[in-house]
């Protein structure tokens, strides 16, 4: 999915934003639930540098919803954050060139991310940390780096240099990991296991731009998931997906974090191969999969690749489907979602899917 900064300096900023933003709105994905006979337990807060909302139906719903937020915070602090000094990812970065012992969770996740990088031909790459820091898009130091700076940082990007052996990980000296394009989806997979152990009946968990639909909608209808209009206000919908149980949805778009110079939009989704913000003719990609980490990785990779080049990549992953929005406001939906998507926003047209 996308790279989210969670440096401690962002704490005050995130808190201020949350006070002003409805927590039901999350980075391009909106959940629209019918009023249920039995209301869910709802908990909202921050984790992984973003807004998190947990809706849980079932016994001990409040306790489970709170456990979801606690698990996400612990996952970030102990494993995924590039800025928490004691997290696995931060320690790997701090000791680049040396082998670092990590949790089995982090080692397994990095193994999956390396495989995904291979399958996407590097359109997704977990070693983009130096580029993320260089551009700092959405941060206080965002700028257009010089060509030599970009080339220097890009030289450290190579997923093939990441070595995972059992519970040890080593990256090349000068490299830096950043799991921002996969961490929130991976967190959804972790939360699915938590919900199972807590005997939750149904749940909707939103973590930034990734959403987990757990179990069936208590109303008996499909879950209704709205995709944000990438050129509208934050509450405007492009369209709606009607989906079944136990799915993850992730959206990446150029409207999430960006700056403009001389009429050019520089978004935070970086192309690892060029070292620059992606320019593929897309402004939004939403991916649906049974796997959270795959939906998150593919929403980023497809945004980088563009519509046509994304199609064979999607086919290499089991049950991954997508909704693409181009900069000419055409919407393309892969066959597996064609009967589940309804276009709602004016000014867009449905393209003929390949």
């Amino acid at each position: 999915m996308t790279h989210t900064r969670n440096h401690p300096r962002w704490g005050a900023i995130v808190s201020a934003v949350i006070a002003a933003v409805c927590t039901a709105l999350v980075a391009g994905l909106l959940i629209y639930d019918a009023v249920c006979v039995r209301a869910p337990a709802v908990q909202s807060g921050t984790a992984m540098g973003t807004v998190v909302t947990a809706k849980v139906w079932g016994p001990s719903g409040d306790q489970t919803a709170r456990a979801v937020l606690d698990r996400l915070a612990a996952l970030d602090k102990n494993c995924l954050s590039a800025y928490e000094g004691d997290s696995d990812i931060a320690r790997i970065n701090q000791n680049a060139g040396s082998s670092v012992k990590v949790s089995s969770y982090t080692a397994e996740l990095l193994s999956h991310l390396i495989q995904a990088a291979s399958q996407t031909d590097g359109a997704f790459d977990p070693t983009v940390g130096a580029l993320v820091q260089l551009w700092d898009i959405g941060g206080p130091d965002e700028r257009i780096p010089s060509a030599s700076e970009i080339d220097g940082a890009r030289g450290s990007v190579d997923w093939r240099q990441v070595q995972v052996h059992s519970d040890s990980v080593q990256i090349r000296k000068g490299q830096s990991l950043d799991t921002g394009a996969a961490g929130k989806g991976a967190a959804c997979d972790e939360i699915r296991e938590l919900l199972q152990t807590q005997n939750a009946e149904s749940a909707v968990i939103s973590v930034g731009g990734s959403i987990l639909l757990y179990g069936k909608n208590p109303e008996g209808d499909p879950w209704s998931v709205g995709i944000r209009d990438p050129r509208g206000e934050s509450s405007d919908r492009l369209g709606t997906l009607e989906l079944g149980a136990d799915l993850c949805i992730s959206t990446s778009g150029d409207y999430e974090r960006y700056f403009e110079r001389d009429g050019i939009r520089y978004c935070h989704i970086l192309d690892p191969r060029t070292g620059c913000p992606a320019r593929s003719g897309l402004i939004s990609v939403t991916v649906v999969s049974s796997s959270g980490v795959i939906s998150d990785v593919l929403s980023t990779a497809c945004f980088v690749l563009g519509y046509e080049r994304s199609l064979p990549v999607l086919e290499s992953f089991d049950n991954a489907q997508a909704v693409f929005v181009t900069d000419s406001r055409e919407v393309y939906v892969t066959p597996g979602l064609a009967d589940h998507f309804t276009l709602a926003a004016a000014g867009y047209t449905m393209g003929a899917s390949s």
Side-chain angles (χ1 to χ4, degrees):
M1 175 65 204
T2 57
H3 304 287
T4 300
R5 305 300 300 267
N6 52 7
H7 190 281
R9 65 186 176 184
W10 291 99
I13 297 174
V14 171
S15 298
V17 170
I18 292 167
V21 178
C22 173
T23 54
L25 170 64
V26 188
L29 293 172
L30 308 170
I31 291 293
Y32 295 90
D33 295 318
V35 176
C36 296
V37 175
R38 179 159 54 88
V42 181
Q43 294 279 353
S44 297
T46 59
M48 306 184 75
T50 191
V51 180
V52 176
T53 301
K55 289 185 178 182
V56 181
W57 286 264
S60 304
D62 285 313
Q63 177 181 334
T64 300
R66 173 48 56 187
V68 167
L69 269 63
D70 291 343
R71 178 70 63 86
L72 290 172
L75 190 65
D76 192 41
K77 180 179 180 181
N78 298 328
C79 300
L80 300 180
S81 174
Y83 303 99
E84 292 281 353
D86 293 331
S87 79
D88 287 341
I89 296 299
R91 289 189 300 106
I92 294 169
N93 289 343
Q94 292 161 8
N95 295 279
S98 301
S99 180
V100 177
K101 286 194 175 297
V102 298
S103 66
S104 59
Y105 173 85
T106 300
E108 183 177 358
L109 175 61
L110 287 175
S111 294
H112 287 313
L113 297 188
I114 293 168
Q115 178 63 31
S118 175
Q119 288 181 263
T120 61
D121 196 25
F124 164 82
D125 193 315
T127 64
V128 294
L131 285 171
V132 172
Q133 295 167 34
L134 179 65
W135 284 86
D136 196 35
I137 296 176
D141 300 320
E142 64 184 14
R143 63 191 178 94
I144 302 174
S146 67
S148 61
E149 288 177 309
I150 294 171
D151 286 343
R154 187 165 59 90
S156 70
V157 178
D158 185 357
W159 57 270
R160 299 172 187 84
Q161 300 296 320
V162 181
Q163 301 177 41
V164 181
H165 301 292
S166 184
D167 62 348
S168 296
V169 178
Q170 181 174 337
I171 59 177
R172 193 184 70 204
K173 195 169 183 64
Q175 282 192 308
S176 180
L177 294 175
D178 189 299
T179 60
K184 295 169 184 60
C188 287
D189 292 332
E190 180 77 0
I191 293 307
R192 179 191 283 116
E193 295 186 11
L194 171 65
L195 294 170
Q196 291 170 345
T197 61
Q198 296 286 326
N199 296 317
E201 295 173 1
S202 302
V204 176
I205 312 297
S206 58
V207 188
S210 293
I211 285 178
L212 166 66
L213 305 177
Y214 178 82
K216 295 181 179 179
N217 186 334
E219 284 295 313
D221 298 322
W223 294 108
S224 184
V225 181
I227 300 174
R228 176 176 165 175
D229 180 349
R231 290 296 180 262
E233 299 298 324
S234 60
S235 59
D236 293 339
R237 283 184 298 162
L238 169 77
T240 303
L241 285 167
E242 301 291 329
L243 299 171
D246 300 321
L247 291 171
C248 293
I249 310 98
S250 296
T251 289
S252 293
D254 70 352
Y255 55 86
E256 294 171 333
R257 291 200 317 279
Y258 66 93
F259 66 89
E260 293 186 352
R261 295 286 188 277
D262 301 323
I264 299 175
R265 179 178 299 214
Y266 296 87
C267 78
H268 73 294
I269 305 172
L270 302 178
D271 185 336
R273 302 161 305 176
T274 66
C276 297
R279 300 193 186 284
S280 65
L282 296 175
I283 58 176
S284 174
V285 179
T286 296
V287 175
V288 178
S289 171
S290 58
S291 164
V293 68
I294 294 304
S295 70
D296 207 357
V297 162
L298 286 179
S299 69
T300 297
C302 290
F303 190 95
V304 169
L305 290 168
Y307 172 60
E308 293 289 349
R309 295 179 63 194
S310 292
L311 298 179
V313 171
L314 282 168
E315 291 176 358
S316 71
F317 290 84
D318 293 336
N319 303 317
Q321 302 291 330
V323 178
F324 300 88
V325 187
T326 73
D327 53 13
S328 58
R329 301 202 178 197
E330 290 183 304
V331 180
Y332 294 89
V333 182
T334 55
L337 289 179
D339 294 334
H340 301 273
F341 177 77
T342 302
L343 181 65
Y348 292 86
T349 58
M350 295 296 297
S353 297
S354 299

